[in-house]
Amino acid sequence: MASGEVHPASEPSRWRYLDNVRTRAGPFTNDEVFDAGLVVDTMDNMKILVIGAGGLGCEILKNLALSGFKDIHVIDMDTIDISNLNRQFLFRKADVGKFKAEVAASFVERRVKGVKITPHNCKIQDFDEDFYMQFQLVVCGLDSIEARRWINATLVNMVDPEVEDSYKPLIDGGTEGFKGQSRVVLPSVTSCIECQLDMHAPRAAVPLCTIATIPRQPEHCIEWAHIIAWDQEKPFPKLDNDDPEHITWLYQKALNRAEEYGITGVTYSRTQGVVKNIIPAIASTNAIIAASCCNEALKIASNCAPSLGYPNDNYMMYSGNDSIYTYTFEHEKKDDCPVCGNLARDLEVDPRSTLQELIESMAIRPEAQLKKPSVRSESKTLYMQSPPSLEEKTRQNLDKTLTELGLGDGEEIGVTDPSFATVSFKFRLRFK
């Protein structure tokens, strides 16, 4: 750290060491954007949003509060389960069953006086763009690829080149066992999460015949309950992966099937993990990645040092499997990204495959990973998942080959998915 004048906060005894970093120029500080005298007021008045109050979210909330941020909002729709207590340190046994966002916010407010944390017990999709526009930074600590993609698309869609305040930097962290990553997305400027989707390969599909006939693993029993038993019995009008009552039903069905075939290992938490595609978490990895994310938030808020994404490197990978290893690189913006790009993405297909096969492949293709896609060609609607009347009208196309539907090599198709209401994915068919 270079020597220089320190501009203390209003509570110097408490923030003295923080001010040594955030209000003093260092060897990498950009003097054109750094103003030490304004840093403290800027951070005191900055409104920051944290998405997720689980393993990463607890660490992020604690770190942000101790980094000088005073106005924080947190969104998480989940309630606390006893399995969370080994790594989500803001929770206690007495908190089981309560909303994560509320408990986490209350705990940090008690320990870090002066910080205000507003909890929201809901889905991120429940808010519109006006809600997200009030924040200067968004930090994600999510275990869901779908939620990451949604908030990424929303923030990119909010950008108005003529309105400087419409650019909301997105800091994203993720962990899987002893591995993790942190990245900074400057919407419409740098590579976005959709550009980087191929870094998150979809879960390997289990053959339906194995699920339906001879399961060998606890995951097979859970998938059977999820795909087959639910469809046959329909205990609720619509499956909600976040409803404990629905997960309990699936768990009981999977457990009964596992006992029938002498399979052990079906648990409630594993059922959640399979159905929601939850990634395993380790407390030490969460702490490291959350620290990296909050370090980026501090750098962006204070300009005391360049953040990831400016001017080049925007993606940091961490591995703790064998010793400790980190690698930082630039993930380039893709011109054919369906969210921040403007070109159609090439999609290699067999012209003899049916529309049904094309739609099913959208779930496992690394560049798509769509669950309920609707498809249009340049001249007509091929298949729509909803409304029911349109689904029934276009259902006959599912058994037709791409050639029979009149699609040609090089033709563009538009694909939408209810999980990404603001995004139309454009693909250019390449026949093989």
Side-chain angles (χ1 to χ4, degrees), residues 146-212:
E146 289 79 9
R148 282 190 179 97
R149 296 173 70 185
W150 188 91
I151 189 64
N152 171 75
T154 298
L155 296 181
V156 172
N157 193 58
M158 284 165 48
V159 171
D160 181 344
E162 298 182 0
V163 181
E164 184 178 354
D165 194 44
S166 66
Y167 292 86
K168 310 295 179 181
L170 172 63
I171 303 169
D172 176 67
T175 65
E176 181 175 2
F178 288 101
K179 297 180 180 180
Q181 105 305 294
S182 63
R183 51 188 165 180
V184 173
V185 174
L186 305 177
S188 79
V189 177
T190 66
S191 154
C192 76
I193 288 178
E194 199 72 29
C195 293
Q196 305 163 13
L197 187 61
D198 52 5
M199 302 282 288
H200 303 274
R203 185 176 60 192
V206 180
L208 190 59
C209 58
T210 299
I211 296 173

Side-chain angles (χ1 to χ4, degrees), residues 206 210 214-223 254 258 261 263-266 270:
V206 180
T210 299
I214 311 175
R216 299 185 299 274
Q217 300 172 10
E219 288 80 6
H220 297 168
C221 300
I222 296 168
E223 289 285 16
Y261 286 89
I263 298 172
T264 60
V266 173
R270 179 170 281 181

Side-chain angles (χ1 to χ4, degrees), residues 367-382:
E367 72 273 29
Q369 300 186 40
L370 303 173
K371 292 184 175 180
K372 297 185 66 177
S374 298
V375 186
R376 296 183 178 88
S377 70
E378 296 177 27
S379 59
K380 61 182 178 180
T381 298
L382 300 176

Side-chain angles (χ1 to χ4, degrees), residues 355 359 372-376 381-395 397-398 414 416:
L355 182 61
I359 288 175
K372 297 185 66 177
S374 298
V375 186
R376 296 183 178 88
T381 298
L382 300 176
Y383 180 71
M384 294 293 292
Q385 298 274 1
S386 61
S389 58
L390 196 51
E391 192 280 332
E392 183 178 359
K393 185 177 180 180
T394 57
R395 191 185 305 158
N397 290 333
L398 292 176
T416 56

Side-chain angles (χ1 to χ4, degrees), residues 204-269:
V206 180
L208 190 59
C209 58
T210 299
I211 296 173
T213 56
I214 311 175
R216 299 185 299 274
Q217 300 172 10
E219 288 80 6
H220 297 168
C221 300
I222 296 168
E223 289 285 16
W224 173 85
H226 183 204
I227 296 172
I228 298 176
W230 183 280
D231 188 58
Q232 291 175 346
E233 301 184 30
K234 290 184 170 53
F236 303 94
K238 184 179 179 181
L239 175 61
D240 183 350
N241 293 342
D242 295 303
D243 190 322
E245 190 176 1
H246 294 196
I247 297 296
T248 299
W249 188 93
L250 294 173
Y251 162 60
Q252 292 295 342
K253 283 292 179 181
L255 186 62
N256 293 339
R257 185 167 177 82
E259 291 174 349
E260 180 183 348
Y261 286 89
I263 298 172
T264 60
V266 173
T267 63
Y268 181 88
S269 60

Side-chain angles (χ1 to χ4, degrees), residues 1 18 21-24 28-30 33-35 39 42-43 46 48 64 67 69 137 139 169 171 182-184 186 291-311 313-316 328:
M1 176 68 67
L18 176 61
V21 175
R22 64 176 178 172
T23 71
R24 185 164 63 175
F28 302 106
T29 304
N30 184 344
V33 296
F34 179 69
D35 187 338
V39 168
T42 298
M43 291 185 63
M46 179 174 286
I48 188 166
L64 290 175
S67 297
F69 293 97
L137 274 176
V139 186
I171 303 169
S182 63
R183 51 188 165 180
V184 173
L186 305 177
S292 174
C293 290
C294 294
N295 191 37
E296 296 308 317
L298 177 64
K299 290 190 289 185
I300 291 174
S302 67
N303 288 314
C304 64
S307 68
L308 281 174
Y310 180 83
D313 294 344
N314 58 5
Y315 201 114
M316 188 278 286
T328 307

